[in-house]
Amino acid sequence: MIAVILFLLLILLEIALAAFFIHNLKCKEGICSIIIGAAFLLGCCLILLAINIWVNGYQYRLIVNREKLEALVIDLDTTQPYEEWFCPDEQIMTVKGNLYMQKIVAFAEPYGYVIITLECFSDAQAAKMSYNNKLGIQKKNHLGQWITTKSQSSEYEYYFTKTCRDVSRDILFGLLPEGRYGSKVTIRYKNFVCAFVEHSDQRRSRIDEVIDMLLADYEAYKEAMNP
């Protein structure tokens, strides 16, 4: 709600500055011209800011437990164990022979859900190429400054975006909670790439909770395979 009020105040201020500038176009005094020009430039900057907020929303630093991101280490030999451990809602075999799986973890209160995609590649090099492609797309879409990257080793790396609040959705669909905050995290370990796309009612991310679930399922799967 605060974001919506701020956005509307910016629009009103811009309109007022533009009206003031037009009204005083014939002012001949030097100091008056300088003040009017400065006000007009400020109005132009505010217009650009408002457009950026409208298109991209507000960006916040993602509140996520990095230790949990660095804990997602799954060592399985073939695609079948990955499938049995992950238990996807849907899966396909890509034209390149990679196993692509997806499932959704939903939270009732506060409302939110995380879409998890897991792709298993034939080797680590192919996984790294896919990871770099995803990272390149995110940097292009977010102009680079909204991305945090970290590499633990040649086998493990991850990046995450800032959390984005969609102001236009707040104004147009304020009664709908879905999609108010969005975040993305992608992790590569050896030959698999795991991506998380989160939509939530709250700014604090719950991706770390989802990782805990995945790791718990992994430990249970290992125990079942090695009683």
Side-chain angles (χ1 to χ4, degrees):
M1 189 61 185
I2 294 176
V4 176
I5 294 174
L6 178 59
F7 179 82
L8 295 176
L9 287 176
L10 284 175
I11 294 296
L12 292 175
L13 180 58
E14 291 154 23
I15 294 173
L17 286 172
F20 180 75
F21 176 74
I22 294 172
H23 179 71
N24 292 277
L25 277 177
K26 296 181 180 180
C27 180
K28 301 300 183 181
E29 298 180 14
I31 187 66
C32 183
S33 298
I34 292 174
I35 293 174
I36 294 172
F40 183 70
L41 288 176
L42 175 61
C44 292
C45 292
L46 291 175
I47 289 173
L48 292 175
L49 175 61
I51 291 174
N52 179 68
I53 292 172
W54 178 264
V55 174
N56 298 313
Y58 282 97
Q59 287 78 46
Y60 305 91
R61 185 175 299 279
L62 181 63
I63 303 176
V64 64
N65 189 331
R66 295 198 191 188
E67 292 181 358
K68 296 293 179 68
L69 300 185
E70 296 164 7
L72 188 61
V73 176
I74 308 296
D75 282 304
L76 297 170
D77 297 327
T78 62
T79 56
Q80 182 177 351
Y82 277 103
E83 177 185 345
E84 294 172 349
W85 153 66
F86 190 64
C87 299
D89 297 329
E90 57 181 279
Q91 65 183 60
I92 60 171
M93 190 66 70
T94 68
V95 293
K96 294 184 179 180
N98 305 320
L99 178 61
Y100 178 90
M101 300 177 287
Q102 176 179 299
K103 71 176 179 180
I104 299 176
V105 176
F107 298 96
E109 195 65 38
Y111 174 79
Y113 63 90
V114 178
I115 303 172
I116 315 168
T117 59
L118 180 67
E119 191 165 5
C120 301
F121 294 85
S122 57
D123 55 60
Q125 186 60 33
K128 186 172 182 63
M129 288 180 60
S130 175
Y131 172 88
N132 288 337
N133 287 338
K134 294 178 187 294
L135 177 57
I137 292 172
Q138 289 299 321
K139 285 186 174 180
K140 181 179 180 180
N141 292 341
H142 296 288
L143 304 179
Q145 73 268 28
W146 300 345
I147 308 295
T148 298
T149 63
K150 189 167 184 180
S151 178
Q152 296 294 97
S153 66
S154 60
E155 295 183 335
Y156 194 95
E157 55 191 334
Y158 65 87
Y159 72 81
F160 55 86
T161 67
K162 285 190 175 181
T163 295
C164 178
R165 182 173 177 85
D166 191 342
V167 178
S168 60
R169 184 181 180 92
D170 286 344
I171 295 174
L172 298 176
F173 307 105
L175 298 178
L176 299 179
E178 179 179 345
R180 289 202 175 169
Y181 291 93
S183 312
K184 292 183 180 179
V185 174
T186 300
I187 299 171
R188 180 189 73 85
Y189 176 66
K190 291 185 178 178
N191 66 323
F192 80 81
V193 176
C194 189
F196 303 86
V197 178
E198 180 178 26
H199 297 275
S200 177
D201 246 3
Q202 62 174 3
R203 180 182 163 195
R204 181 175 293 277
S205 175
R206 303 183 74 174
I207 290 176
D208 51 358
E209 296 180 38
V210 175
I211 291 177
D212 282 341
M213 295 177 189
L214 293 176
L215 291 174
D217 291 342
Y218 176 54
E219 293 300 323
Y221 177 75
K222 287 197 303 181
E223 290 179 4
M225 291 297 99
N226 301 286

